């Protein structure tokens, strides 16, 4: 049988909370291989649940760094056993869960640069970490450090203007501050601090990989305008921190070639390039091929917005990161906690637990819902911090109930008007070329997507984002190969499969919602001032 034609490809990795995943993407941008290793299922000796350990205090959440190392050993062996041809890999890049941090012990770099190809990574790196259980994004034990950092730079808004976010417990600077304060000896024996993304890149490089601008924006340490560490933030967190972090680099940087360990043990070509790894959300933005003016809406348990911003206006909500595929622009994340669980509750209460009844209500009620507006937050909302259900008639009078069909439309219109208002609060603007990319469970309901298209006045496309961080990383690897030629990312990925058009705005939608959006915003402020007292 003829030898299979050589399939030049790039690899995209994702070191996520629950697993390590890899995809191989060929030059036509087709996924030709994928594999994964699940921490809970395949690495039982580490005893994680959902890939993490939640500590007794309920606030501290960590993951064992050697579990991540061993997962890479296993997945590479699985690829080798399946006959994957590593010699075809032109470049690789990857993603890591954002905010997590890895602490390399003094002397580890010598081990990393002299790995024996006869042994797995985890056996050789056993003694290379000063902290064996790494803080991850689910940790919320650093509130004190958050307050200290905000005080050091002039307050929450000042920190947001500087680093793109106010202080958040999961953000890496606050986690480093806690380790320095509570475990100074481990901190003093740490020669390098990586994010999960740059840690994974270091494993492939065989030396310390720099932190990229985009994932570095999730640390409360990087000046997002100047793309340099903020000396005020570094100083407020821990001493000698800049030398432990190294200098940040543009996310599209080629940071080196794979180490000889991979050439000799797996057959990677010696010139296989490593493109800077980044955070899972920035990598997903790349995988969704978001462009200027686009917005991605992930409709899941909580709803998450991915925004492409040219001129960000940092706020006390949401997160602004350096853009992973365009160094002049930015991206933003906005999280809305009352997502699908809220939609399912109203479906159960008002549509007899039936999505088809739910859809009928949306089909039978008018855009704008006759001026009735609703706010549905059965759990404390993140954006903004409101809890409870609040309904208002067209005359702005608070009412205790709506008819079942009005209730359903009020929920969905309210959820999407909130998204547009808060996105625009961060500097997002709907443009004539705007595409809305919808993903997640609720994106299978066409009537819900119709409301989304109407509220934003833009077409809605649906995409499958199951592998978006991996695929986005493979796309970024191809982009890194073209780095010297200055080809824009959008050009590199133009052959990728296009999303499917699902809904376009109903004629007259803009007039309806341009009038209703300010009304919704005013009522939101009214609820906020009632619940937390008048704004200072
Ligand atoms: O904390 C987050 C973003 O700010 C999460 O989406 C993590 O990146 C998940 F890994």
């Amino acid at each position: 049988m003829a030898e299979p034609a050589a399939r030049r490809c790039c690899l995209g990795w994702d070191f996520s909370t629950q697993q390590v995943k890899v995809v191989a993407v060929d030059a036509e941008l087709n996924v030709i291989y994928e594999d994964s290793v699940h921490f809970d299922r395949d690495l039982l000796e580490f005893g994680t649940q959902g890939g993490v350990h939640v500590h007794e205090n309920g606030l501290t959440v960590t993951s064992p760094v050697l579990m991540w190392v061993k997962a890479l050993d296993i997945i590479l062996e699985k690829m080798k056993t399946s006959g994957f041809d590593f010699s075809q890999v032109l470049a690789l890049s990857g993603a890591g869960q954002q905010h997590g941090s890895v602490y390399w012990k003094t002397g580890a770099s010598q081990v990393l640069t002299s790995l024996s190809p006869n042994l797995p990574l985890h056996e050789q790196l056993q003694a290379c970490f000063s902290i064996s259980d790494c803080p991850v994004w689910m940790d919320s034990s650093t509130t004190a450090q958050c307050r200290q950092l905000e005080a050091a730079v002039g307050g929450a808004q000042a920190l947001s203007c500087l680093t793109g976010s106010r202080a958040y417990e999961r953000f890496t600077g606050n986690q480093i501050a806690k380790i320095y304060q509570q475990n100074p000896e481990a901190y003093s024996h740490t020669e390098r601090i990586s994010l999960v993304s740059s840690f994974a890149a270091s494993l492939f490089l065989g030396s310390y990989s720099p932190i990229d601008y985009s994932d570095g924006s999730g640390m409360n340490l990087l000046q997002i305008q100047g793309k340099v560490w903020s000396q005020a933030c570094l100083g407020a967190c821990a001493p000698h921190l800049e030398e432990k972090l190294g200098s940040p680099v543009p996310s599209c940087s080629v940071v080196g070639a794979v180490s000889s360990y991979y050439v000799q043990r797996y057959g990677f070509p010696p010139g296989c390039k490593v493109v800077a790894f980044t955070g899972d959300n920035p990598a997903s933005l790349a995988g969704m091929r978001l462009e200027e003016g686009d917005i991605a809406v992930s409709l899941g348990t909580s709803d998450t917005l991915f925004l492409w911003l040219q001129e960000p206006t940092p706020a006390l909500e949401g997160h602004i990161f350096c853009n992973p595929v365009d160094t002049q622009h930015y991206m933003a994340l906005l999280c809305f906690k009352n997502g699908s669980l809220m939609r399912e509750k109203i479906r159960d209460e008002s549509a007899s637990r039936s999505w088809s009844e739910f859809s009928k209500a949306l089909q039978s009620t008018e855009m704008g819902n006759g001026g009735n507006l609703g706010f549905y937050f059965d759990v404390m909302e993140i954006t903004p911090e409101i809890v409870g259900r609040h309904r208002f008639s067209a005359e702005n009078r608070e009412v205790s109930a709506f008819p079942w069909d009005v209730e359903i439309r009020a929920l969905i219109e309210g959820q999407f008007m909130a998204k547009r208002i808060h996105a625009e609060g961060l500097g997002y603007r709907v443009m004539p070329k705007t595409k809305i990319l919808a993903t997640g469970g609720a994106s299978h309901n066409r009537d819900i997507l119709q409301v989304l298209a109407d509220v934003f006045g833009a077409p809605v496309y649906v995409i499958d984002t199951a592998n978006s961080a991996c695929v986005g990383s493979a796309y970024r690897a191809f982009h890194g190969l073209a780095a010297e030629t200055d080809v824009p990312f959008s050009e590199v990925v133009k052959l990728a499969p296009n999303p499917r058009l699902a809904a376009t705005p109903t004629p007259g939608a803009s007039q309806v919602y341009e009038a209703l959006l300010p009304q919704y915003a005013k009522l939101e402020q009214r609820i906020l001032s009632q619940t937390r007292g008048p704004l200072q």
Side-chain angles (χ1 to χ4, degrees):
M1 185 181 82
E3 279 295 301
R7 296 290 294 265
R8 292 272 190 242
C9 64
C10 283
L11 296 185
W13 295 87
D14 184 15
F15 284 67
S16 71
T17 312
Q18 305 193 25
Q19 58 189 339
V20 172
K21 283 166 78 170
V22 64
V23 295
V25 172
D26 69 12
E28 286 72 50
L29 302 186
N30 301 304
V31 174
I32 56 172
Y33 183 92
E34 59 181 282
D35 216 330
S36 62
V37 166
H38 292 260
F39 304 134
D40 295 359
R41 184 192 67 202
D42 304 325
L43 287 151
L44 292 170
E45 68 266 37
F46 293 95
T48 55
Q49 282 194 317
V52 302
H53 291 128
V54 179
H55 294 215
E56 276 182 18
N57 65 11
L59 298 174
T60 305
V61 184
T62 60
S63 291
V65 60
L66 284 173
M67 177 178 75
W68 296 333
V69 175
K70 194 167 181 182
L72 181 56
D73 283 326
I74 294 172
I75 202 165
L76 286 166
E77 290 303 325
K78 284 177 78 178
M79 293 173 80
K80 192 173 174 182
T81 307
S82 73
F84 181 79
D85 185 356
F86 291 99
S87 72
Q88 300 303 307
V89 180
L90 297 168
L92 63 88
S93 188
Q97 54 175 298
Q98 289 190 261
H99 318 302
S101 45
V102 174
Y103 300 78
W104 298 89
K105 191 185 286 182
T106 304
S109 57
Q110 278 79 7
V111 178
L112 202 50
T113 51
S114 56
L115 292 168
S116 159
N118 307 317
L119 293 170
L121 292 165
H122 74 277
E123 286 182 17
Q124 304 185 70
L125 297 177
Q126 288 277 3
C128 287
F129 302 100
S130 49
I131 297 276
S132 52
D133 295 305
C134 301
V136 294
W137 66 279
M138 294 163 66
D139 183 284
S140 54
S141 65
T142 60
T143 303
Q145 289 74 19
C146 288
R147 300 293 78 81
Q148 289 156 9
L149 178 57
E150 286 177 347
V153 299
Q157 183 60 43
L159 183 64
S160 182
C161 290
L162 200 55
T163 69
S165 301
R166 65 174 170 81
Y168 284 90
E169 281 74 4
R170 67 187 190 277
F171 276 44
T172 323
N174 307 303
Q175 293 292 337
I176 294 170
K178 175 190 160 191
I179 285 172
Y180 167 62
Q181 292 166 13
Q182 298 182 2
N183 195 346
E185 189 178 350
Y187 183 79
S188 67
H189 292 143
T190 300
E191 72 176 5
R192 184 77 178 206
I193 299 174
S194 299
L195 292 176
V196 175
S197 56
S198 55
F199 148 78
S202 304
L203 295 179
F204 285 103
L205 269 183
S207 60
Y208 293 139
S209 171
I211 289 170
D212 78 297
Y213 292 159
S214 197
D215 205 15
S217 311
M219 301 172 77
N220 277 150
L221 295 175
L222 187 77
Q223 289 180 201
I224 56 169
Q225 297 290 347
K227 278 58 168 189
V228 293
W229 299 122
S230 156
Q231 294 303 320
C233 293
L234 294 175
C237 289
H240 317 302
L241 187 44
E242 184 161 17
E243 63 203 64
K244 295 180 194 289
L245 294 173
S247 299
V249 297
S251 304
C252 59
S253 306
V254 175
V255 291
V258 293
S259 77
S260 58
Y261 176 81
Y262 297 89
V263 176
Q264 291 161 29
R265 187 173 176 88
Y266 296 105
F268 280 84
C272 174
K273 292 187 173 11
V274 177
V275 176
F277 284 33
T278 191
D280 58 339
N281 293 296
S284 287
L285 178 135
M288 294 187 280
R289 295 190 298 149
L290 225 60
E291 295 181 291
E292 198 175 323
D294 289 349
I295 183 169
V297 185
S298 173
L299 297 168
T301 308
S302 60
D303 292 344
T304 305
L305 287 198
F306 292 72
L307 310 172
W308 181 300
L309 299 175
Q310 296 117 290
E311 299 292 335
T313 46
L316 294 179
E317 60 189 26
H319 313 291
I320 290 167
F321 305 128
C322 298
N323 191 294
V325 297
D326 182 325
T327 48
Q328 303 309 308
H329 289 171
Y330 297 85
M331 68 170 282
L333 276 188
L334 262 177
C335 190
F336 298 81
K337 203 162 188 179
N338 290 272
S340 291
L341 295 181
M342 198 65 240
R343 290 187 283 270
E344 286 158 18
K345 268 191 178 180
I346 299 298
R347 173 205 63 188
D348 295 351
E349 293 166 13
S350 303
S352 327
R353 308 175 65 84
S354 151
W355 283 121
S356 62
E357 286 303 303
F358 192 95
S359 282
K360 280 181 194 153
L362 293 176
Q363 291 159 13
S364 63
T365 47
E366 293 298 313
M367 288 188 294
N369 213 12
N372 294 297
L373 291 171
F375 299 77
Y376 299 83
F377 307 124
D378 283 9
V379 294
M380 174 56 81
E381 181 49 61
I382 295 173
T383 311
E385 290 180 343
I386 295 178
V387 67
R389 297 185 185 187
H390 308 269
R391 299 174 183 84
F392 297 88
S393 68
E395 300 72 35
N396 284 342
R397 214 167 16 84
E398 186 149 12
V399 295
S400 57
F402 283 144
W404 72 279
D405 52 352
V406 173
E407 177 89 330
I408 287 167
R409 177 166 281 274
L411 166 74
I412 300 299
E413 284 191 341
Q415 288 187 330
F416 292 150
M417 283 196 278
K419 288 171 174 65
R420 179 166 178 179
I421 287 163
H422 289 279
E424 290 176 346
L426 288 179
Y428 173 76
R429 293 293 174 268
V430 177
M431 299 165 77
K433 61 175 184 174
T434 288
K435 299 190 301 294
I436 303 173
L437 303 181
T439 186
S443 68
H444 299 122
N445 183 314
R446 201 209 156 287
D447 299 289
I448 289 177
L449 297 184
Q450 185 57 59
V451 177
L452 179 59
D454 292 343
V455 168
F456 277 81
V460 174
Y461 297 78
V462 287
I463 45 170
D464 168 23
T465 55
N467 283 339
S468 61
C470 277
V471 170
S473 298
Y475 290 168
R476 291 176 57 252
F478 276 111
H479 188 214
L481 283 176
E484 292 81 24
T485 59
D486 229 5
V487 172
F489 179 80
S490 53
E491 188 60 27
V492 168
V493 297
K494 65 184 178 192
L495 292 178
N498 284 318
R500 176 174 61 81
L501 179 63
T504 55
T506 307
S510 293
Q511 288 79 354
V512 171
Y513 295 107
E514 304 288 336
L516 217 47
L517 282 157
Q519 196 56 34
Y520 183 92
K522 231 181 286 171
L523 287 171
E524 186 183 78
Q525 285 306 315
R526 182 166 134 189
I527 300 166
L528 272 170
S529 56
Q530 282 165 357
T531 46
R532 72 183 175 195
L535 275 180
Q536 284 73 27

